[in-house]
């Protein structure tokens, strides 16, 4: 079983999820050749459905084959096999909780080689709809105070299997990094009576120097203080705090913009490893039981997708101070990415 | 010229340090074979002294050859070529500062192949003395509010050259991660009238389950909420906020314990990539001009060394939430590391 821990220095929680029966040297995989699974052995390829835990959800074709599958993570960081939160301190000095949570894998399409930029638009739409279905479902469980959808693409971005897949994790706390964003957005709203994120969009649309693309519903840009080279944000123009609350039309346009943006990145950096993160407000929707302290903050939040290419390495400076070194000014990154679409 | 940037979301500052004249594809080095320099080409090997910028400091042998060299970083993240801080906002929404700072490289010894665990104790002592000399020198410059000494070992930890070297960076701000530690330590002190770090040591020495080694002056342990597998902290027993203020005897013992601890790590994980970070309080010493707001906080700080093996990859979950997944409980890591010394 896993557990969540927090020490007295730094605000970070850690999921301690032991991989039983391994020797330390089994862990040393970084920098070694990855044992790339062929599609015969890949548990996410058609024909190998029995290699995953039992399916949670699927979108089927008329012939019965699948377009998208959702399965529990075989090695979950968190599990819902707990009756309650059972929070307890460890010796009066440390904080711990049972590793309550959920961890799902969304197999994006049957083709081992095809990611979002390569799929037909129709398939991307199906995938986005699946994201919405699963997120909506998990939001009904009030034990999950924060739900993150993310995609790790490539080994350097932490993907252990190369068959394109996304993950959803539901956790029993609102993590420090998210709380900090919420507090900033809330305090900005209190101060200026405007949404921080809406003002940021206005600012980017006015200056245009970091703009990659603008559509009716979305703005794609390289953030001013990008921590990573070629970092990209996709932000909706409409002020909505949660991805699951957007309209069907907005979802359709999101499929177009996500496919095109990932295509730009693939073209400019030759299919780089990346992390994609869909950030929505914490799960404090009506009926979730979590409404107490977060609902005011939730209103000042604004959902978005952040895409972070992993072509540089975080080193001692970044780990010790949180101060990142970015060798590519976002203005320059935006120019390359913008051109790539033409 | 480089600059420091901060956006309105998240507290992080970023150093934007453009590498001029490079194409995006030049950046994509992650996961590719490193072009390992032989010692003929290595700028840190004896005979190639003219390949580094002019030397700042050296420790020489009686025959005139060197034991340790300190040189400016050839590709500095920050530079002291600025007259002042010249802080300015960018369009009323973003914060920026000129990239004022200093970035030095300490070439740890002439031997391309030998790191701290392999060196004779005498050489490690010389290296530790050099750390102290350079840190003391940089602390006299009141433009540097925070000074970090760190070592990136191995490509996956961000080292671009394999010849063993440490780095010192002096920056014009106290980074968010450090401020957060300072605030926690200060608030703990206000509350309990004890040092947070001293109490943590007492706790670890009582429970002993994460203890790796205890000497007269130091405690080596695996932190309770380790974010990374086999993370190690070396903490002095005496409450001192800055490494440069320890006694000669404490420095000698630090050389012993550092060499032995890195040797344990090398043995257990077969020479893994790692980041080593020496954390002291911000630079608010007398005469630095920075005494105003930090001196009370400084008193509640406690210097230490953190060593983080880089055998796992930070992925979307970690980047989006700051919530880390650690597959090795620190209690188990401590057992392996403790045995390795025997």
């Amino acid at each position: 079983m896993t557990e969540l821990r927090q020490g007295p220095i730094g605000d970070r929680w850690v999921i301690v999820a032991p991989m039983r029966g391994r020797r330390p040297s089994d862990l040393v995989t970084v920098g070694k050749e990855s044992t790339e699974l062929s599609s015969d052995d890949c548990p996410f390829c058609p024909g190998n459905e029995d290699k995953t835990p039992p399916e949670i959800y699927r979108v089927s074709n008329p012939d019965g084959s699948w377009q998208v599958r959702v399965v529990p993570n075989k090695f979950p960081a968190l599990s819902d096999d707990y009756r309650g939160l059972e929070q307890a301190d460890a010796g009066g000095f440390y904080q711990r909780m049972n590793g309550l949570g959920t961890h799902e894998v969304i197999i994006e399409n049957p083709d081992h080689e095809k990611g979002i930029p390569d799929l037909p638009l129709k398939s991307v739409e199906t995938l986005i709809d699946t994201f919405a279905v699963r997120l909506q479902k998990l939001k009904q469980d009030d034990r999950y105070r924060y739900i993150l959808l993310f995609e790790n693409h490539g080994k350097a971005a932490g993907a252990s299997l190369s068959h394109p897949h996304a993950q959803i994790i539901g956790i029993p706390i609102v993590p420090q990094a998210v709380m900090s964003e919420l507090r900033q957005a809330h305090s900005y709203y209190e101060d200026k009576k405007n949404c921080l994120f809406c003002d940021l969009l206005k600012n980017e649309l006015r200056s245009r120097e970091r703009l990659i693309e603008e559509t009716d519903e979305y703005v794609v840009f390289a953030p001013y203080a990008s921590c990573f080279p070629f970092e990209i944000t996709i932000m909706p123009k409409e002020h909505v705090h949660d991805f699951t609350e957007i309209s069907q039309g907005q979802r359709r346009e999101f499929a177009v913009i996500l496919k095109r943006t990932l295509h730009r990145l693939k073209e400019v950096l030759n299919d780089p490893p990346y992390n994609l993160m869909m950030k929505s407000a914490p799960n404090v929707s009506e009926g979730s039981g979590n409404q107490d302290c977060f609902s005011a903050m939730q209103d000042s939040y604004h959902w978005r997708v952040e895409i972070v290419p992993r072509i540089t390495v975080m080193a001692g400076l970044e780990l010790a101070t949180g101060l990142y070194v970015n060798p590519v000014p976002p203005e320059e990154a935006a120019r390359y990415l913008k051109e790539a679409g033409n």
Side-chain angles (χ1 to χ4, degrees), chain A residues 149-198:
Chain A
L149 184 144
F150 60 103
E151 186 191 0
N152 301 330
H153 173 78
K155 204 171 142 61
S160 51
L161 290 170
S162 68
H163 192 125
H165 64 285
Q167 301 179 60
I168 301 181
I169 196 159
I171 56 182
I173 52 166
V174 180
Q176 167 55 24
V178 179
M179 274 309 299
S180 164
E181 284 188 5
L182 280 169
R183 285 202 195 96
Q184 282 178 308
H186 188 58
S187 125
Y188 188 91
Y189 182 80
E190 291 283 296
D191 189 26
K192 318 225 180 203
K193 303 296 170 215
N194 277 337
C195 164
L196 170 61
F197 302 91
C198 293

Side-chain angles (χ1 to χ4, degrees), chain A residues 47 70 72 142 192 230 234 248 259 315 327:
Chain A
V70 182
D142 64 5
K192 318 225 180 203
F230 294 90
I234 303 176
Q248 184 66 8
K259 175 173 156 66

Side-chain angles (χ1 to χ4, degrees), chain A residues 36-81:
Chain A
E36 189 53 62
L37 293 177
S38 70
S39 50
D40 282 354
D41 298 319
C42 170
F44 296 168
C45 273
N48 295 340
E49 286 80 359
D50 59 338
K51 293 189 181 169
T52 65
E55 200 167 281
I56 296 169
Y57 180 85
R58 80 150 68 186
V59 180
S60 295
N61 292 312
D63 66 3
S65 65
W66 56 271
Q67 282 185 56
V68 180
R69 289 180 81 218
V70 182
V71 298
N73 192 310
K74 200 169 179 178
F75 306 99
L78 297 164
S79 144
D80 63 0
D81 285 351

Side-chain angles (χ1 to χ4, degrees), chain A residues 260 263-265 267-268 334-342:
Chain A
R260 194 152 60 214
H263 192 84
R264 290 177 196 275
L265 193 61
E267 190 178 318
V268 173
R335 263 198 314 277
Y336 280 111
L337 290 164
K338 197 171 166 177
E339 281 166 23
N342 299 322

Side-chain angles (χ1 to χ4, degrees), chain A residues 125-239:
Chain A
E125 287 174 358
T126 304
L127 179 61
I128 302 299
D129 287 342
T130 306
F131 289 173
V133 168
R134 291 311 303 160
L135 288 168
Q136 248 147 6
K137 178 74 186 166
L138 292 175
K139 275 167 65 72
Q140 288 163 22
D141 193 327
D142 64 5
R143 296 175 305 168
Y144 309 143
R145 300 193 72 131
Y146 188 69
I147 300 168
L148 181 75
L149 184 144
F150 60 103
E151 186 191 0
N152 301 330
H153 173 78
K155 204 171 142 61
S160 51
L161 290 170
S162 68
H163 192 125
H165 64 285
Q167 301 179 60
I168 301 181
I169 196 159
I171 56 182
I173 52 166
V174 180
Q176 167 55 24
V178 179
M179 274 309 299
S180 164
E181 284 188 5
L182 280 169
R183 285 202 195 96
Q184 282 178 308
H186 188 58
S187 125
Y188 188 91
Y189 182 80
E190 291 283 296
D191 189 26
K192 318 225 180 203
K193 303 296 170 215
N194 277 337
C195 164
L196 170 61
F197 302 91
C198 293
D199 276 6
L200 189 147
L201 279 190
K202 271 183 224 149
N203 198 73
E204 291 303 325
L205 287 171
R206 199 166 44 226
S207 95
R208 305 192 83 78
E209 52 181 342
R210 285 171 296 275
L211 195 65
I212 298 163
E213 183 173 4
E214 181 189 3
T215 64
D216 286 350
E217 297 284 353
Y218 297 92
V219 181
V220 186
F221 63 98
Y224 174 76
S226 293
C227 290
F228 297 86
F230 294 90
E231 194 178 322
I232 301 171
T233 297
I234 303 176
M235 209 183 276
K237 287 181 181 172
E238 198 191 347
H239 180 72

Side-chain angles (χ1 to χ4, degrees), chain A residues 125 129 132 218 245-254:
Chain A
E125 287 174 358
D129 287 342
Y218 297 92
E245 307 205 351
I246 66 176
S247 71
Q248 184 66 8
Q250 287 168 330
R251 242 194 245 171
R252 288 286 162 271
E253 201 175 301
F254 180 64

